[in-house]
Coordinates of all heavy atoms in Angstrom, one line a residue:
M1104 N 50.2 53.1 -108.9 CA 50.8 52.0 -108.0 C 50.4 52.3 -106.6 O 50.7 53.3 -106.0 CB 52.3 52.1 -108.1 CG 52.8 51.0 -109.1 SD 54.5 50.8 -108.8 CE 55.1 51.7 -110.2
A1105 N 49.6 51.4 -106.0 CA 49.2 51.6 -104.7 C 50.3 51.2 -103.7 O 50.8 50.1 -103.8 CB 47.9 50.8 -104.4
P1106 N 50.7 52.1 -102.8 CA 51.7 51.7 -101.9 C 51.2 50.7 -100.9 O 50.0 50.8 -100.5 CB 52.0 53.0 -101.1 CG 50.9 53.9 -101.4 CD 50.2 53.5 -102.7
G1107 N 52.0 49.7 -100.6 CA 51.6 48.7 -99.7 C 50.7 47.6 -100.3 O 50.3 46.7 -99.7
G1108 N 50.5 47.7 -101.6 CA 49.7 46.7 -102.2 C 50.6 45.5 -102.6 O 51.0 45.3 -103.7
R1109 N 50.9 44.8 -101.6 CA 51.8 43.7 -101.8 C 51.2 42.6 -102.6 O 50.0 42.2 -102.4 CB 52.2 43.1 -100.5 CG 53.0 44.1 -99.6 CD 54.4 43.7 -99.4 NE 54.8 43.8 -98.0 CZ 54.8 42.7 -97.2 NH1 54.5 41.5 -97.7 NH2 55.2 42.8 -96.0
D1110 N 51.9 42.1 -103.5 CA 51.4 41.0 -104.4 C 52.0 39.7 -104.1 O 51.9 38.8 -104.9 CB 51.6 41.4 -105.8 CG 50.7 40.6 -106.7 OD1 49.6 40.2 -106.3 OD2 51.0 40.4 -107.9
K1111 N 52.7 39.6 -102.9 CA 53.3 38.4 -102.6 C 52.3 37.3 -102.2 O 51.4 37.7 -101.4 CB 54.3 38.6 -101.5 CG 55.7 38.3 -102.0 CD 56.7 38.4 -100.9 CE 58.1 38.2 -101.4 NZ 59.1 38.4 -100.4
H1112 N 52.4 36.2 -102.7 CA 51.4 35.2 -102.4 C 52.1 33.9 -101.9 O 52.9 33.4 -102.6 CB 50.5 34.9 -103.6 CG 49.5 33.9 -103.3 ND1 48.3 34.2 -102.6 CD2 49.4 32.6 -103.6 CE1 47.6 33.1 -102.6 NE2 48.2 32.1 -103.2
F1113 N 51.7 33.5 -100.8 CA 52.3 32.2 -100.3 C 51.2 31.1 -100.4 O 50.1 31.3 -100.0 CB 52.7 32.3 -98.8 CG 53.9 33.2 -98.6 CD1 53.7 34.5 -98.3 CD2 55.2 32.7 -98.8 CE1 54.8 35.3 -98.1 CE2 56.3 33.5 -98.7 CZ 56.1 34.8 -98.3
D1114 N 51.6 30.0 -101.0 CA 50.8 28.9 -101.0 C 50.9 28.2 -99.6 O 52.0 28.0 -99.1 CB 51.1 27.9 -102.0 CG 50.6 28.3 -103.4 OD1 49.5 28.9 -103.5 OD2 51.3 28.1 -104.4
V1115 N 49.8 27.9 -99.0 CA 49.9 27.2 -97.7 C 50.3 25.8 -98.0 O 49.6 25.1 -98.7 CB 48.5 27.3 -97.0 CG1 48.6 26.6 -95.7 CG2 48.1 28.7 -96.8
E1116 N 51.4 25.4 -97.4 CA 51.8 24.1 -97.7 C 51.5 23.2 -96.5 O 52.0 23.4 -95.4 CB 53.4 24.0 -97.9 CG 53.7 24.4 -99.3 CD 55.2 24.2 -99.5 OE1 55.7 23.1 -99.2 OE2 55.9 25.2 -99.9
D1117 N 50.7 22.2 -96.7 CA 50.5 21.2 -95.7 C 51.4 20.1 -95.8 O 51.7 19.6 -96.9 CB 49.0 20.7 -95.8 CG 48.0 21.8 -95.4 OD1 48.3 22.5 -94.4 OD2 47.0 21.8 -96.0
D1118 N 51.9 19.6 -94.7 CA 52.8 18.5 -94.8 C 52.1 17.2 -94.7 O 52.4 16.3 -94.0 CB 53.8 18.5 -93.6 CG 54.9 19.5 -93.9 OD1 55.3 19.6 -95.1 OD2 55.5 20.1 -92.9
D1119 N 51.1 17.1 -95.6 CA 50.4 15.8 -95.5 C 50.4 15.1 -96.9 O 49.5 14.3 -97.2 CB 48.9 16.1 -95.1 CG 48.2 17.0 -96.1 OD1 48.8 17.4 -97.1 OD2 47.0 17.2 -95.9
E1120 N 51.5 15.3 -97.6 CA 51.5 14.5 -98.8 C 51.8 13.0 -98.5 O 52.6 12.7 -97.6 CB 52.6 15.0 -99.8 CG 53.6 16.0 -99.2 CD 54.6 16.4 -100.2 OE1 55.2 15.5 -100.9 OE2 54.9 17.6 -100.3
F1121 N 51.2 12.2 -99.2 CA 51.5 10.8 -98.9 C 52.6 10.3 -99.8 O 52.6 10.5 -101.0 CB 50.2 10.0 -99.3 CG 49.1 10.2 -98.3 CD1 48.1 11.2 -98.6 CD2 49.0 9.5 -97.1 CE1 47.1 11.5 -97.7 CE2 48.0 9.8 -96.2 CZ 47.0 10.8 -96.5
A1122 N 53.5 9.7 -99.1 CA 54.7 9.1 -99.9 C 54.2 8.0 -100.8 O 53.5 7.1 -100.4 CB 55.7 8.6 -98.9
K1123 N 54.5 8.1 -102.0 CA 54.1 7.1 -103.0 C 54.8 5.8 -102.7 O 56.0 5.8 -102.5 CB 54.3 7.6 -104.4 CG 53.2 8.5 -104.9 CD 53.4 8.9 -106.3 CE 52.4 9.9 -106.7 NZ 52.6 10.5 -108.0
G1124 N 54.1 4.7 -102.8 CA 54.7 3.4 -102.6 C 54.9 3.1 -101.1 O 55.4 2.1 -100.8
A1125 N 54.4 4.0 -100.2 CA 54.5 3.7 -98.8 C 53.5 2.5 -98.5 O 52.4 2.4 -99.1 CB 54.1 4.9 -98.0
P1126 N 54.0 1.6 -97.7 CA 53.2 0.4 -97.4 C 51.9 0.7 -96.7 O 50.9 0.0 -96.8 CB 54.1 -0.5 -96.6 CG 55.1 0.4 -96.1 CD 55.2 1.6 -97.0
G1127 N 51.9 1.8 -95.9 CA 50.7 2.2 -95.2 C 50.1 1.1 -94.3 O 50.9 0.4 -93.7
K1128 N 48.8 1.0 -94.3 CA 48.2 0.1 -93.4 C 48.5 -1.3 -93.6 O 48.3 -2.2 -92.8 CB 46.6 0.2 -93.6 CG 46.0 1.4 -92.8 CD 44.5 1.3 -92.9 CE 43.9 2.6 -92.5 NZ 44.1 2.9 -91.1
K1129 N 49.0 -1.6 -94.8 CA 49.3 -3.0 -95.2 C 50.6 -3.5 -94.7 O 51.0 -4.6 -94.9 CB 49.2 -3.3 -96.7 CG 47.7 -3.2 -97.1 CD 47.7 -3.4 -98.6 CE 46.3 -3.2 -99.1 NZ 46.3 -2.9 -100.6
R1130 N 51.3 -2.6 -94.1 CA 52.7 -2.9 -93.6 C 52.6 -4.1 -92.6 O 51.6 -4.1 -91.8 CB 53.3 -1.7 -93.0 CG 54.7 -1.9 -92.6 CD 55.3 -0.5 -92.3 NE 56.7 -0.7 -91.8 CZ 57.3 0.3 -91.2 NH1 56.8 1.4 -91.0 NH2 58.5 0.0 -90.7
R1131 N 53.6 -4.9 -92.6 CA 53.6 -6.0 -91.7 C 54.8 -5.9 -90.8 O 55.8 -5.3 -91.2 CB 53.8 -7.4 -92.4 CG 52.8 -7.6 -93.5 CD 51.4 -7.8 -93.1 NE 51.2 -9.1 -92.4 CZ 50.1 -9.5 -91.8 NH1 49.0 -8.7 -91.9 NH2 50.0 -10.7 -91.3
F1132 N 54.7 -6.3 -89.6 CA 55.8 -6.2 -88.6 C 56.1 -7.6 -88.0 O 55.3 -8.5 -88.0 CB 55.3 -5.3 -87.4 CG 55.2 -3.8 -87.8 CD1 54.0 -3.4 -88.4 CD2 56.2 -3.0 -87.6 CE1 53.9 -2.0 -88.8 CE2 56.1 -1.6 -88.0 CZ 55.0 -1.2 -88.6
T1133 N 57.3 -7.7 -87.7 CA 57.8 -9.0 -87.0 C 58.4 -8.7 -85.7 O 59.0 -9.6 -85.1 CB 58.8 -9.7 -87.9 OG1 59.9 -8.8 -88.2 CG2 58.2 -10.1 -89.2
E1134 N 58.2 -7.5 -85.2 CA 58.6 -7.2 -83.8 C 57.9 -5.9 -83.4 O 57.4 -5.2 -84.2 CB 60.2 -7.0 -83.8 CG 60.6 -5.9 -84.8 CD 62.1 -5.8 -84.9 OE1 62.8 -6.7 -84.6 OE2 62.5 -4.7 -85.4
F1135 N 57.9 -5.8 -82.1 CA 57.3 -4.5 -81.6 C 58.0 -4.2 -80.2 O 58.5 -5.0 -79.6 CB 55.8 -4.7 -81.4 CG 55.4 -5.6 -80.3 CD1 55.1 -5.2 -79.1 CD2 55.3 -7.0 -80.6 CE1 54.7 -6.1 -78.1 CE2 54.9 -7.9 -79.7 CZ 54.6 -7.5 -78.4
E1136 N 57.8 -2.9 -79.9 CA 58.3 -2.5 -78.6 C 57.1 -2.3 -77.7 O 56.2 -1.6 -78.0 CB 59.1 -1.2 -78.7 CG 59.8 -0.9 -77.4 CD 60.6 0.4 -77.5 OE1 61.5 0.5 -78.4 OE2 60.4 1.3 -76.7
C1137 N 57.1 -3.0 -76.5 CA 56.0 -2.9 -75.6 C 55.9 -1.5 -75.1 O 56.8 -0.9 -74.5 CB 56.3 -3.9 -74.5 SG 55.0 -3.8 -73.2
P1138 N 54.7 -0.9 -75.2 CA 54.5 0.5 -74.7 C 54.5 0.6 -73.2 O 54.7 1.6 -72.6 CB 53.2 0.9 -75.3 CG 52.6 -0.3 -75.9 CD 53.5 -1.4 -75.9
T1139 N 54.3 -0.5 -72.6 CA 54.2 -0.5 -71.1 C 55.6 -0.7 -70.4 O 56.0 0.0 -69.6 CB 53.2 -1.6 -70.6 OG1 52.0 -1.4 -71.2 CG2 53.1 -1.6 -69.1
C1140 N 56.3 -1.8 -70.9 CA 57.6 -2.1 -70.2 C 58.8 -1.8 -71.1 O 59.9 -2.0 -70.7 CB 57.6 -3.5 -69.7 SG 57.7 -4.7 -71.0
S1141 N 58.5 -1.3 -72.4 CA 59.6 -1.0 -73.3 C 60.4 -2.2 -73.8 O 61.5 -2.0 -74.4 CB 60.5 0.1 -72.7 OG 59.8 1.3 -72.5
A1142 N 59.9 -3.4 -73.5 CA 60.7 -4.5 -73.9 C 60.6 -4.7 -75.4 O 59.5 -4.4 -76.0 CB 60.2 -5.8 -73.2
H1143 N 61.6 -5.2 -76.0 CA 61.6 -5.4 -77.4 C 61.2 -6.9 -77.7 O 61.8 -7.8 -77.1 CB 63.0 -5.2 -78.0 CG 63.1 -5.5 -79.5 ND1 63.7 -6.6 -80.0 CD2 62.7 -4.8 -80.5 CE1 63.6 -6.6 -81.3 NE2 63.0 -5.5 -81.6
N1144 N 60.1 -7.1 -78.4 CA 59.6 -8.4 -78.6 C 59.6 -8.8 -80.1 O 58.9 -8.2 -80.9 CB 58.1 -8.4 -78.2 CG 57.9 -8.3 -76.7 OD1 58.0 -9.4 -76.0 ND2 57.7 -7.1 -76.2
P1145 N 60.4 -9.8 -80.4 CA 60.3 -10.4 -81.7 C 58.9 -11.1 -81.7 O 58.5 -11.7 -80.7 CB 61.4 -11.4 -81.8 CG 62.3 -11.2 -80.6 CD 61.4 -10.5 -79.6
F1146 N 58.3 -11.1 -82.8 CA 56.9 -11.7 -82.9 C 56.7 -12.3 -84.2 O 57.4 -12.0 -85.2 CB 55.9 -10.6 -82.6 CG 54.6 -11.1 -82.1 CD1 54.5 -11.4 -80.7 CD2 53.5 -11.3 -82.9 CE1 53.3 -11.9 -80.2 CE2 52.3 -11.7 -82.4 CZ 52.2 -12.0 -81.0
E1147 N 55.7 -13.2 -84.3 CA 55.3 -13.7 -85.6 C 54.8 -12.5 -86.4 O 54.3 -11.6 -85.8 CB 54.1 -14.7 -85.4 CG 54.5 -16.0 -84.9 CD 53.2 -16.8 -84.6 OE1 52.3 -16.8 -85.4 OE2 53.1 -17.3 -83.5
E1148 N 54.8 -12.7 -87.7 CA 54.4 -11.6 -88.5 C 52.9 -11.1 -88.1 O 52.0 -11.9 -88.0 CB 54.4 -12.0 -90.0 CG 54.2 -10.8 -90.9 CD 54.3 -11.2 -92.4 OE1 53.3 -11.6 -92.9 OE2 55.4 -11.0 -92.9
F1149 N 52.8 -9.8 -87.9 CA 51.5 -9.3 -87.6 C 51.2 -8.0 -88.4 O 52.1 -7.4 -88.9 CB 51.3 -9.1 -86.1 CG 52.2 -8.0 -85.5 CD1 51.7 -6.7 -85.4 CD2 53.5 -8.3 -85.2 CE1 52.5 -5.8 -84.8 CE2 54.3 -7.3 -84.7 CZ 53.8 -6.1 -84.5
G1150 N 50.0 -7.7 -88.5 CA 49.6 -6.5 -89.3 C 48.5 -5.7 -88.5 O 48.2 -6.0 -87.4
N1151 N 47.9 -4.8 -89.3 CA 46.8 -4.0 -88.7 C 45.7 -4.8 -88.1 O 45.3 -5.8 -88.7 CB 46.3 -3.1 -89.8 CG 45.5 -1.9 -89.2 OD1 45.7 -1.5 -88.1 ND2 44.5 -1.5 -90.0
E1152 N 45.3 -4.5 -86.9 CA 44.2 -5.1 -86.2 C 44.6 -6.5 -85.6 O 43.7 -7.1 -84.9 CB 43.0 -5.4 -87.1 CG 42.5 -4.1 -87.8 CD 41.5 -3.3 -86.9 OE1 40.6 -3.9 -86.4 OE2 41.8 -2.1 -86.7
D1153 N 45.8 -6.9 -85.7 CA 46.2 -8.1 -85.1 C 46.5 -7.9 -83.6 O 46.8 -6.8 -83.2 CB 47.4 -8.7 -85.7 CG 47.1 -9.4 -87.1 OD1 45.9 -9.6 -87.3 OD2 48.0 -9.6 -87.9
E1154 N 46.5 -9.0 -82.8 CA 46.8 -8.8 -81.4 C 48.1 -9.4 -81.1 O 48.5 -10.5 -81.7 CB 45.7 -9.6 -80.6 CG 44.4 -8.8 -80.6 CD 43.2 -9.6 -80.0 OE1 43.5 -10.5 -79.2 OE2 42.1 -9.2 -80.2
V1155 N 48.9 -8.7 -80.3 CA 50.2 -9.2 -79.9 C 50.3 -9.2 -78.4 O 49.5 -8.6 -77.7 CB 51.3 -8.3 -80.5 CG1 51.3 -8.3 -82.0 CG2 51.2 -6.9 -79.9
M1156 N 51.2 -10.1 -77.9 CA 51.4 -10.1 -76.5 C 52.8 -9.9 -76.1 O 53.7 -10.5 -76.7 CB 50.9 -11.5 -75.9 CG 50.8 -11.5 -74.4 SD 50.1 -13.0 -73.7 CE 51.6 -14.0 -73.7
C1157 N 53.0 -9.1 -75.1 CA 54.4 -8.9 -74.6 C 54.9 -10.1 -73.8 O 54.2 -10.5 -72.9 CB 54.5 -7.6 -73.8 SG 56.1 -7.3 -73.1
N1158 N 56.1 -10.6 -74.2 CA 56.6 -11.7 -73.5 C 57.1 -11.4 -72.1 O 57.4 -12.3 -71.4 CB 57.8 -12.3 -74.3 CG 57.3 -13.0 -75.6 OD1 56.2 -13.6 -75.6 ND2 58.0 -12.7 -76.7
W1159 N 57.3 -10.1 -71.9 CA 57.9 -9.7 -70.6 C 56.8 -9.4 -69.5 O 56.9 -9.9 -68.4 CB 58.8 -8.5 -70.8 CG 59.9 -8.8 -71.7 CD1 59.9 -8.9 -73.1 CD2 61.2 -9.2 -71.3 NE1 61.1 -9.3 -73.5 CE2 62.0 -9.5 -72.5 CE3 61.9 -9.4 -70.1 CZ2 63.3 -9.9 -72.5 CZ3 63.2 -9.8 -70.1 CH2 63.9 -10.1 -71.2
C1160 N 55.9 -8.6 -69.9 CA 54.9 -8.2 -68.9 C 53.6 -8.9 -69.1 O 52.7 -8.8 -68.3 CB 54.7 -6.6 -68.8 SG 54.0 -6.0 -70.3
G1161 N 53.4 -9.6 -70.2 CA 52.2 -10.4 -70.4 C 51.0 -9.6 -70.9 O 49.9 -10.2 -71.0
L1162 N 51.2 -8.3 -71.1 CA 50.0 -7.6 -71.5 C 49.8 -7.8 -73.0 O 50.7 -8.0 -73.8 CB 50.2 -6.1 -71.3 CG 50.1 -5.6 -69.8 CD1 50.5 -4.1 -69.7 CD2 48.7 -5.9 -69.3
Q1163 N 48.5 -7.7 -73.4 CA 48.1 -7.9 -74.8 C 47.8 -6.5 -75.4 O 47.2 -5.7 -74.7 CB 46.9 -8.8 -74.9 CG 47.3 -10.2 -74.7 CD 46.2 -11.2 -74.9 OE1 45.2 -11.2 -74.1 NE2 46.2 -11.9 -76.0
F1164 N 48.1 -6.4 -76.6 CA 47.8 -5.1 -77.3 C 47.2 -5.4 -78.7 O 47.5 -6.5 -79.3 CB 49.1 -4.4 -77.5 CG 49.9 -4.1 -76.3 CD1 50.8 -4.9 -75.8 CD2 49.6 -3.0 -75.5 CE1 51.5 -4.7 -74.6 CE2 50.2 -2.7 -74.3 CZ 51.2 -3.6 -73.9
K1165 N 46.5 -4.5 -79.2 CA 46.0 -4.6 -80.5 C 46.9 -3.6 -81.4 O 47.1 -2.5 -81.0 CB 44.5 -4.1 -80.6 CG 44.0 -4.4 -82.0 CD 42.5 -4.3 -82.0 CE 42.0 -3.1 -82.7 NZ 40.6 -3.0 -82.8
A1166 N 47.4 -4.2 -82.5 CA 48.2 -3.4 -83.4 C 47.3 -2.5 -84.3 O 46.4 -3.0 -84.9 CB 49.1 -4.3 -84.2
V1167 N 47.6 -1.3 -84.3 CA 46.9 -0.3 -85.2 C 47.9 0.4 -86.0 O 48.8 1.0 -85.5 CB 46.1 0.7 -84.4 CG1 45.4 1.7 -85.3 CG2 45.1 0.0 -83.4
I1168 N 47.8 0.2 -87.3 CA 48.8 0.8 -88.3 C 48.1 1.8 -89.0 O 47.0 1.6 -89.6 CB 49.4 -0.3 -89.2 CG1 50.1 -1.4 -88.3 CG2 50.3 0.3 -90.2 CD1 50.4 -2.7 -89.0
D1169 N 48.7 3.0 -89.0 CA 48.0 4.1 -89.7 C 48.4 4.2 -91.2 O 49.2 3.4 -91.7 CB 48.3 5.5 -88.9 CG 49.8 5.9 -89.0 OD1 50.5 5.3 -89.9 OD2 50.2 6.8 -88.3
D1170 N 47.9 5.2 -91.8 CA 48.1 5.3 -93.3 C 49.6 5.5 -93.7 O 50.0 5.2 -94.8 CB 47.3 6.5 -93.8 CG 45.8 6.3 -93.8 OD1 45.4 5.1 -93.8 OD2 45.1 7.2 -93.6
E1171 N 50.4 5.9 -92.7 CA 51.8 6.1 -93.0 C 52.6 4.9 -92.6 O 53.8 4.9 -92.7 CB 52.3 7.3 -92.2 CG 51.7 8.6 -92.8 CD 52.1 9.8 -91.9 OE1 52.6 9.6 -90.8 OE2 51.8 10.9 -92.3
G1172 N 51.9 3.8 -92.2 CA 52.7 2.6 -91.9 C 53.3 2.7 -90.5 O 54.2 1.9 -90.2
K1173 N 52.8 3.6 -89.7 CA 53.3 3.7 -88.3 C 52.5 2.7 -87.4 O 51.3 2.7 -87.5 CB 53.2 5.1 -87.8 CG 54.3 6.0 -88.3 CD 54.2 7.3 -87.6 CE 55.0 8.3 -88.4 NZ 54.5 9.7 -88.1
L1174 N 53.2 2.1 -86.6 CA 52.6 1.1 -85.7 C 52.3 1.7 -84.3 O 53.1 2.4 -83.7 CB 53.6 -0.1 -85.5 CG 53.2 -1.1 -84.4 CD1 51.9 -1.8 -84.8 CD2 54.3 -2.1 -84.2
K1175 N 51.0 1.5 -83.9 CA 50.7 1.9 -82.6 C 50.1 0.7 -81.9 O 49.4 -0.1 -82.5 CB 49.6 3.1 -82.6 CG 50.2 4.4 -82.9 CD 49.1 5.4 -82.9 CE 49.6 6.7 -83.6 NZ 48.5 7.5 -84.0
L1176 N 50.2 0.6 -80.6 CA 49.7 -0.5 -79.9 C 48.7 0.0 -78.8 O 49.0 0.8 -78.0 CB 50.9 -1.3 -79.2 CG 51.8 -1.9 -80.2 CD1 53.1 -2.4 -79.4 CD2 51.2 -3.0 -80.9
K1177 N 47.5 -0.6 -78.9 CA 46.5 -0.2 -77.9 C 46.4 -1.4 -77.0 O 46.2 -2.5 -77.3 CB 45.2 0.0 -78.6 CG 45.0 1.2 -79.4 CD 43.6 1.4 -79.9 CE 43.4 2.7 -80.6 NZ 42.1 2.8 -81.2
E1178 N 46.4 -1.0 -75.7 CA 46.3 -2.0 -74.7 C 44.9 -2.6 -74.7 O 43.9 -1.9 -74.8 CB 46.6 -1.4 -73.3 CG 47.0 -2.4 -72.3 CD 47.4 -1.8 -70.9 OE1 48.0 -0.7 -71.0 OE2 47.0 -2.3 -69.9
L1179 N 44.8 -3.9 -74.6 CA 43.5 -4.6 -74.6 C 43.0 -4.7 -73.1 O 43.7 -4.9 -72.2 CB 43.6 -6.0 -75.2 CG 43.9 -6.0 -76.7 CD1 44.1 -7.4 -77.2 CD2 42.7 -5.4 -77.4
Ligands
ZN2551 ZN1 55.7 -5.4 -71.8

């Protein structure tokens, strides 16, 4: 028996499992929060790559939805 010969093995767990049934990129939204003025905007249904406009500050954004169905808004 070799002293210090530890046989403990850890599997490296990555937190990147995809939730099954998650809507992902196909998720649709009917509202968004303006990243510039934080206003809450009800909107017609929109999805990935659609353009939305804030009713408060008038800025336009492109909706980008990632694989997890999270909405990000890119200023145009
Ligand atoms: Zn705004």
Side-chain angles (χ1 to χ4, degrees):
M1104 261 194 260
R1109 299 246 230 101
D1110 200 24
K1111 244 182 183 176
H1112 180 78
F1113 291 96
D1114 283 323
V1115 180
E1116 278 185 55
D1117 288 323
D1118 276 330
D1119 62 355
E1120 16 178 312
F1121 291 95
K1123 279 182 185 171
K1128 280 186 192 296
K1129 288 178 187 162
R1130 190 166 170 193
R1131 311 289 291 175
F1132 290 83
T1133 54
E1134 58 188 15
F1135 67 94
E1136 187 178 308
C1137 177
T1139 303
C1140 71
S1141 297
H1143 180 255
N1144 287 276
F1146 205 79
E1147 286 171 47
E1148 192 177 83
F1149 65 97
N1151 195 29
E1152 305 277 306
D1153 284 344
E1154 289 174 15
V1155 297
M1156 190 175 84
C1157 176
N1158 290 319
W1159 296 83
C1160 66
L1162 287 176
Q1163 284 185 290
F1164 304 92
K1165 187 165 111 175
V1167 180
I1168 299 164
D1169 68 16
D1170 292 332
E1171 292 174 347
K1173 281 185 197 156
L1174 172 64
K1175 282 181 198 162
L1176 295 170
K1177 285 189 182 175
E1178 200 175 324
L1179 290 174

